[in-house]
Amino acid sequence: MIQSKTGRNTLNFVLFQAGWLLCVLYPGHAAAAVAVVILALHMLWVSTRRRSEFLFIAIGIVLGSLLDSLWLQAGILALEGAETPPFAPIWLIAIWGLFMTTLCHSLSWVAQRAWLPYVLAPPAGSFAYWSASKLGAVTLPDQTISLLAIAAGWLVLFPLLLLIRKHLTLRLAS
């Protein structure tokens, strides 16, 4: 494990960005497999509370994948050149796993102010999906409605994830 908090946060940020870009540019099973390797490296080199962080990542994957699946079924989000799957594809699920690591490390500062997640999450979440659409990984069938729905989802899910993280950290640390 990297001893420096700054070093851990920097590596976490770089690993997430690399994994996100890989999954978006090459959506599929191979990218998801690389994301799993990135998650393993994160757990070895970055994580300081492996048990609680692993559980947090698992919960976030489930919640995020359910949200993506809802958006796919509702027509808020679509996959380029593919029929609507019943559940989020594996590469989107992998991105959720990678993203969850940032909430424990490089994005943990967002939880320091109670209002900050509500202000930052809606535009940031929407921007991530908009960026993925510009790179061809997903489509936003009605861009305005899609981005507003995604922002609303992130307005609810992001603070909930931070609350879950806080609960897990406190519960499993004692």
Side-chain angles (χ1 to χ4, degrees):
M1 176 179 21
I2 297 172
Q3 298 303 313
S4 160
K5 182 177 180 179
T6 302
R8 286 192 308 272
N9 284 345
T10 302
L11 182 58
N12 171 253
F13 177 79
V14 169
L15 289 173
F16 169 71
Q17 294 299 325
W20 183 90
L21 191 58
L22 178 71
C23 285
V24 168
L25 290 178
Y26 305 102
H29 288 86
V34 173
V36 170
V37 171
I38 291 172
L39 282 169
L41 294 174
H42 168 85
M43 294 306 279
L44 287 172
W45 294 338
V46 179
S47 182
T48 56
R49 294 181 172 178
R50 289 185 179 107
R51 182 174 164 216
S52 62
E53 191 170 339
F54 183 80
L55 182 56
F56 176 64
I57 291 168
I59 291 169
I61 287 172
V62 169
L63 293 176
S65 298
L66 288 172
L67 188 58
D68 279 345
S69 298
L70 174 67
W71 287 334
L72 285 163
Q73 293 303 312
I76 301 297
L77 189 63
L79 301 177
E80 190 66 41
E83 289 187 32
T84 302
F87 201 71
I90 191 73
W91 62 270
L92 261 176
I93 295 168
I95 289 174
W96 277 104
L98 296 170
F99 174 70
M100 296 308 295
T101 68
T102 67
L103 296 183
C104 294
H105 299 281
S106 60
L107 287 180
S108 64
W109 58 271
V110 175
Q112 292 176 356
R113 302 276 188 269
W115 55 269
L116 204 50
Y118 298 99
V119 172
L120 293 181
S126 296
F127 181 72
Y129 286 84
W130 176 82
S131 299
S133 76
K134 294 302 176 191
L135 293 171
V138 297
T139 58
L140 305 173
D142 181 328
Q143 185 169 306
T144 301
I145 291 173
S146 293
L147 292 175
L148 288 172
I150 290 167
W154 277 77
L155 180 67
V156 173
L157 185 59
F158 193 83
L160 175 63
L161 291 171
L162 293 176
L163 183 65
I164 292 168
R165 185 200 70 174
K166 181 180 177 182
H167 174 74
L168 286 175
T169 301
L170 294 175
R171 190 178 123 246
L172 293 175
S174 56

